[in-house]
């Protein structure tokens, strides 16, 4: 009879340990319009938002049991914007590049009156400067301004590079 109660006791202890470890999730409570996914392999929590919603901040967070604090503010799921912040930054950077191009060209010495004496452009100009090369194109843009197609290309390339690399400058942990 004693062996049966010992087996029952061991079974009960194992059951309780399993329930405690299951109920002891390290992730925050589920948020409205989404849920937390616990990644036990990497000891982190990932916020998953339902369709039409996006995280309000970094959606991968970690809990430090020593300090009893999260490594970031706990995000929530907010209504998705029609255009992402990443896209707005890329477009803004492209527009800024188009606006800055004439200023940069003039600053380098490619002016409407020709190459400015003592400028960077004057130092780069050599007797071997080829017609149709980058120097000639820069001088032409300094004299008559940049063409609409050039402005479009500068804006598109700058915007695309910004969009592609903006995640690299984020302070958020990747999934």
């Amino acid at each position: 009879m004693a062996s049966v109660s010992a087996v029952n006791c061991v079974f009960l202890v194992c059951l309780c340990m399993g329930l405690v470890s299951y109920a002891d999730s390290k992730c925050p409570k589920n948020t409205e319009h989404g849920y937390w996914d616990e990644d036990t392999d990497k000891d982190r929590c990932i916020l998953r938002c339902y369709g039409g919603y996006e995280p309000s901040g970094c959606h991968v967070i970690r809990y430090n049991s020593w300090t009893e604090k999260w490594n970031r503010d706990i995000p929530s799921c907010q209504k998705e914007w029609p255009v992402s912040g990443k896209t707005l930054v890329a477009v803004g950077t492209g527009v800024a590049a188009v606006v800055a191009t004439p200023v940069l060209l003039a600053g380098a010495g490619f002016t409407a009156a020709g190459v400015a004496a003592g400028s960077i452009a004057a130092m780069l100009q050599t007797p071997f400067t080829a017609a149709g090369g980058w120097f000639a194109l820069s001088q032409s843009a300094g004299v008559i301004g940049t063409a609409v197609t050039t402005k479009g290309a500068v804006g598109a390339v700058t915007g695309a590079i910004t969009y592609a690399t903006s995640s690299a400058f984020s302070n958020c942990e990747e999934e």
Side-chain angles (χ1 to χ4, degrees), residues 121-138:
M123 288 188 297
L124 296 174
Q125 187 178 22
T126 66
F128 305 108
T129 301
W134 69 269
F135 189 90
L137 292 174
S138 297

Side-chain angles (χ1 to χ4, degrees), residues 5-29:
S5 63
V7 169
N8 287 344
C9 185
V10 169
F11 176 73
L12 183 60
V13 168
C14 289
L15 179 65
C16 287
M17 296 275 293
L19 289 175
V20 167
S21 66
Y22 177 74
D24 191 26
S25 174
K26 294 179 184 174
C27 293
K29 301 287 183 231

Side-chain angles (χ1 to χ4, degrees), residues 16 33 41 64 146 166-167 172:
C16 287
H33 309 296
D41 293 337
N64 185 330
T146 52
S166 63
S167 296
C172 295

Side-chain angles (χ1 to χ4, degrees), residues 3-70:
S3 66
V4 171
S5 63
V7 169
N8 287 344
C9 185
V10 169
F11 176 73
L12 183 60
V13 168
C14 289
L15 179 65
C16 287
M17 296 275 293
L19 289 175
V20 167
S21 66
Y22 177 74
D24 191 26
S25 174
K26 294 179 184 174
C27 293
K29 301 287 183 231
N30 280 346
T31 183
E32 189 176 9
H33 309 296
Y35 62 95
W36 286 97
D37 196 5
E38 188 171 3
D39 183 353
T40 54
D41 293 337
K42 296 183 180 177
D43 199 29
R44 63 192 187 160
C45 300
I46 303 169
L47 177 62
R48 309 278 186 203
C49 296
Y50 301 134
Y53 293 88
E54 62 187 359
S56 60
C58 295
H59 71 289
V60 179
I61 60 175
R62 294 176 184 270
Y63 186 75
N64 185 330
S65 56
W66 291 100
T67 62
E68 296 183 351
K69 293 182 180 177
W70 293 98

